[in-house]
Every structure is written in C-alpha cells, then in structure tokens.
C-alpha cells in the first residue's frame, strides 16, 4: 500500500492535516489549473467510506462523473491510486467542458481591487494575471514569514475564497458576504499567533540539536527525528495545540542503546514541566545533553546504509540498526527486508523477518 511519501511525490499540493493520516487538504492540478480539494478518511482508512469535499467549480465540472468516482473509491487499493484516477477523470472532464473558465463580472474586479487597496499592496506576495489566485504574506510576532494562498471564484465576495496555508492544523475562515480580504488576513494573523508556541518549540529544536528528519521541514511538520548519539535518535511528535505537553517519543537505534532511554522516559515522565521549554524537558527526562551543533557535524550521525551505501533512498533514511553493540550499522528498512528475504537462513513470522546482520553476521 502506498504511503504518505508516495502521495506527497505525486501530489505535492495535497497536505496531511493530522497525524493519523485521515484528512488531507490542498489542490489538485489539471490542465494547468489548481482545484481545492479535501479528503476525509475513516479511522480504518477504508477508501470506500471516504468523503471528498471540493470547491464549487470542481464539483460542477465533475458532476457528470460522480458514479465513476464512486466506483473508483470502492476499487482503488489506496489514496494515491484514487487521486491518480481522480486526476485522469478531471483531465477528461475539462477537455469535454465547453466553458472551462467561468467569466468574472466587472463588479468582481472592482471589488477585488478595492479590497486589495484596503488591505495594502505591501501584503501581497503574488497575484496571477487573471486576478483569481492571490498569495498574501505575513510576519508573526517572532519574525517568521508565512503565506496564505487564496483561490477566488466568480461569486466573490458572496462566496468565500478557498484558502491554503502551511499549518499543522486545519485553518477554516469565518465568512459573510460583506467580508473582505482584510477579514481573512486578520483571521490569518490570529491563527499565526495561536500557533506561536508550537513553532517556538520546534525552532529551538531545529536551532540547538541535529535534526535528521525532515531535512527542510515545512511549517506544518509536527515531527522531528533528533540525533542523540552514533546511530541513536528519537522521533518526537509535537501536538500543535499543546506544544508544551509531553510529546509522543519513539526511539530508533540498537536495543542496548535505546532501552535505557525508554526506561528513563517512563520513570521520569512525572517530572515533565509545561512551564519550561519542550527541549529542556526532554533533556531533563532523558538525563542527557543532545549533541551540540557547535561541536559536531550532521555527518557524524547521518551514516549511510550498510547495503546500498546511500543515506537517502526514496526519501527514507537508514533507521534500522544492528543490535550487536560492536556493530551498530544502520540500514534502510527496504534494503534490509530485501536482503533478509534472500537469505536461506532467515525466517519470517507474519510481517516480521528475522536473520543475520549483513555487516557483522550476528
């Protein structure tokens, strides 16, 4: 089954809205046009029970193809496959649509220009030639730069624009027909301020530790894989609504190295203090100092896979480590699985395969 990485490669404008992978929102591109879409999956991730929400223009274009899309939802094995099918159907629908572009009345342009002048052109980062797509820029109280993309339909301002932001939580605007771009911008600034603590916590981690993944995290990323030592790291998943609370922690590395860290986390969990920073809490609970960026380089922790001799493979890093203390060689999961499957001495139990280390034969 294709995972989130495969979906991101195929549809980079469709972003996950939660950690469970049950909600995605963004834009589907076809015929050079971007269409706002939201996909809601049930907890069991079954596509047949998924709900698709989209802009009025996309709904109108796909109206004749609803039965086909329902069939695809029932037959596709995963979300990536369905999105590929949806894009194909949309391409066909656009070619068969006589009027691809809903004409804008003169009032639309006069209203939009008036709204932009009220808002201030210094807040506009981009506007397309058709005056249908805008990007507004803002700076939060910590000096971080943010963008909000607005897709306006021909009924603006009677209907609200579609909004896309790089947030770790869903951003929904409150809109009335008498509202303007300035109202959206104020709501955008308020949302930025509500997420200040979340971004502060992750900025401290990014600035004071060696983050192995993600390499260039978007502002919506809630996880950080932090280097602790040689082939030992911790993956931290931060709650954007409660960034000062104990995050989900998952240790990666050889068992003899991560077992003591797990024990310290469990034993010291009661010491977590929401009044101090997330990073300082992690240091206190784990009783460690994370490797300093001033003393060590990232290459000291980012070791290549012992099978393919590369660090990144389809976006994945070597996160499976040999348990032998004298070895500790890391491998990509895909490389290790393929290697062990080819060994006659390996054995498999359900989805777990057991075998010898390709490096030290332990």
């Amino acid at each position: 089954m294709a995972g989130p990485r495969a979906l991101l490669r195929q549809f980079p404008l469709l972003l996950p809205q939660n950690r469970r992978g049950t909600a995605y929102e963004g834009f589907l591109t076809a015929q050079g046009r971007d269409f706002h879409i939201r996909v809601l999956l049930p907890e069991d991730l079954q596509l047949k029970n998924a709900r698709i929400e989209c802009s009025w223009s996309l709904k109108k274009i796909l109206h004749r193809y609803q039965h086909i899309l329902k069939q695809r939802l029932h037959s596709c094995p995963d979300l990536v496959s369905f999105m590929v099918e949806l894009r194909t159907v949309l391409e066909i629908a656009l070619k068969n649509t006589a009027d691809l572009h809903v004409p804008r009345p003169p009032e639309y342009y006069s209203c939009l220009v008036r709204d932009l002048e009220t808002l201030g052109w210094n807040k506009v980062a981009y506007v397309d030639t058709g005056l249908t797509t805008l990007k507004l820029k803002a700076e939060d109280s910590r000096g971080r730069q943010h963008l909000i993309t607005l897709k306006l339909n021909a009924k603006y301002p009677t209907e609200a624009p579609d909004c896309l932001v790089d947030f770790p939580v869903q951003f929904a605007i409150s809109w009335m027909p008498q509202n303007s771009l300035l109202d959206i911008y104020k709501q955008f600034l308020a949302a930025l301020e509500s997420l200040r603590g979340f971004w502060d916590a992750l900025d401290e981690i990014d600035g004071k530790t060696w983050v192995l993944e993600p390499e260039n995290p978007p502002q919506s990323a809630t996880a950080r894989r932090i280097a602790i030592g040689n082939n030992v790291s911790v993956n931290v998943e931060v709650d954007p609504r409660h960034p000062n609370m104990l995050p989900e922690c998952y240790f990666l590395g050889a068992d003899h190295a991560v077992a003591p860290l797990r024990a310290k986390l469990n034993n010291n969990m009661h010491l977590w203090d929401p009044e101090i920073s997330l990073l300082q809490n992690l240091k206190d609970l784990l009783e460690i100092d994370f490797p300093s960026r001033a003393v060590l380089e990232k290459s000291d922790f980012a070791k290549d896979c012992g099978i393919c001799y590369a660090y990144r493979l389809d976006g994945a890093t070597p996160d499976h480590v040999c348990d032998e203390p004298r070895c500790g060689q890391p491998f990509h999961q895909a490389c290790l699985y393929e290697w062990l499957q080819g060994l006659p001495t390996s054995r498999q139990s359900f989805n777990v395969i057991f075998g010898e280390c390709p490096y030290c034969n332990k």
Side-chain angles (χ1 to χ4, degrees):
M1 179 169 289
R5 285 197 181 99
L7 184 67
L8 187 61
R9 284 197 299 272
Q10 289 265 16
F11 302 94
L13 297 182
L14 191 65
L15 303 176
Q17 300 298 300
N18 59 26
R19 292 174 299 199
R20 303 187 305 278
T22 59
Y24 292 84
E25 186 170 5
F27 293 99
L28 178 63
T29 303
Q31 296 282 324
R33 297 172 62 189
D34 293 332
F35 297 90
H36 184 256
I37 188 169
R38 190 160 182 251
V39 182
L40 301 173
L41 300 172
E43 291 297 330
D44 59 6
L45 303 181
Q46 292 295 313
L47 274 180
K48 62 182 180 180
N49 297 319
R51 193 164 86 247
I52 311 297
E53 299 176 353
C54 59
S55 61
W56 70 273
S57 57
L58 180 57
K59 194 177 296 185
K60 182 179 178 182
I61 292 168
L62 294 175
H63 179 71
R64 293 166 48 199
Y65 301 85
Q66 286 185 8
H67 65 289
I68 297 176
L69 294 176
K70 286 180 181 178
Q71 290 175 353
R72 297 294 189 269
L73 273 176
H74 280 77
S75 60
C76 287
D78 50 55
L79 184 56
V80 178
S81 304
F82 172 73
M83 290 304 299
V84 171
E85 296 269 12
L86 176 58
R87 183 168 58 191
T88 302
V89 171
L90 179 56
E91 294 275 1
I92 296 170
L94 287 171
K95 289 176 182 177
N96 294 333
T97 301
D99 183 14
L100 298 184
H101 301 280
V102 179
R104 264 64 171 168
E107 307 84 63
Y108 167 88
Y109 297 103
S110 58
C111 177
L112 180 57
V113 171
R114 185 174 63 248
D115 282 359
L116 286 169
E117 289 176 346
T118 303
L119 175 67
W121 287 96
N122 61 319
K123 297 180 177 66
V124 179
Y126 166 84
V127 56
D128 70 342
T129 54
L131 293 180
T132 59
T133 300
L134 309 173
K135 289 186 180 180
L136 306 180
K137 57 186 177 181
E139 187 177 283
D140 64 25
S141 57
R142 300 292 193 194
R144 288 177 287 253
Q145 301 295 318
H146 303 269
L147 287 174
I148 177 170
T149 301
L150 306 179
K151 299 277 186 177
L152 289 80
N153 61 53
K155 295 184 180 180
Y156 177 85
T158 305
E159 292 187 4
D162 291 327
C163 303
L164 182 66
V165 292
D166 190 10
F167 281 5
V169 295
Q170 184 180 350
F171 175 67
I173 63 169
S174 175
W175 185 262
M176 298 290 287
Q178 64 269 25
N179 287 151
S180 67
L181 296 180
L182 183 59
D183 296 294
I184 294 179
Y185 196 76
K186 288 178 179 177
Q187 293 178 53
F188 182 50
L189 291 178
L192 293 181
E193 199 58 26
S194 71
L195 291 166
R196 185 183 66 178
F198 167 75
W199 284 316
D200 285 348
L202 292 182
D203 280 354
E204 185 182 18
I205 290 175
D206 292 339
K208 295 183 178 179
T209 70
W210 279 117
V211 174
L212 303 181
E213 291 184 278
E215 277 193 311
N216 298 299
Q219 289 169 326
S220 57
T222 58
R224 295 293 190 274
R225 181 180 164 206
I226 311 169
I228 295 177
N230 191 17
N231 296 325
V232 183
S233 59
V234 60
N235 193 77
V236 176
E237 183 82 33
V238 182
D239 184 341
R241 293 299 189 193
H242 307 283
N244 290 331
M245 302 307 291
L246 177 64
E248 295 180 25
C249 297
Y250 175 68
F251 295 97
L252 298 105
D255 193 56
H256 71 274
V258 301
L261 293 170
R262 285 197 200 100
K264 287 178 182 177
L265 181 65
N266 291 331
N267 293 336
N268 296 334
M269 205 174 288
H270 65 284
L271 300 175
W272 187 272
D273 183 359
E275 298 301 317
I276 62 176
S277 75
L278 186 149
L279 182 60
Q280 188 58 51
N281 268 309
L282 287 175
K283 290 180 181 179
D284 294 345
L285 266 64
L286 298 177
E287 300 174 11
I288 61 169
D289 277 321
F290 289 98
S292 170
R293 294 175 66 94
V295 178
L296 297 167
E297 296 294 328
K298 188 174 181 179
S299 57
D300 294 325
F301 311 103
K303 301 237 172 151
D304 294 343
C305 170
I307 295 174
C308 72
Y309 302 110
Y311 181 61
R312 291 204 173 270
L313 179 68
D314 293 333
T317 59
D319 58 4
H320 280 56
V321 181
C322 176
D323 279 332
E324 170 60 38
R326 289 172 295 181
C327 177
Q329 175 64 40
F331 305 95
H332 294 119
Q333 177 177 325
C335 295
L336 191 58
Y337 189 80
E338 187 176 344
W339 176 281
L340 293 176
Q341 274 192 318
L343 293 180
T345 54
S346 298
R347 61 184 180 85
Q348 187 162 352
S349 175
F350 296 101
N351 62 337
V352 180
I353 191 165
F354 302 86
E356 297 174 352
C357 170
Y359 220 69
C360 69
N361 297 325
K362 296 293 184 182

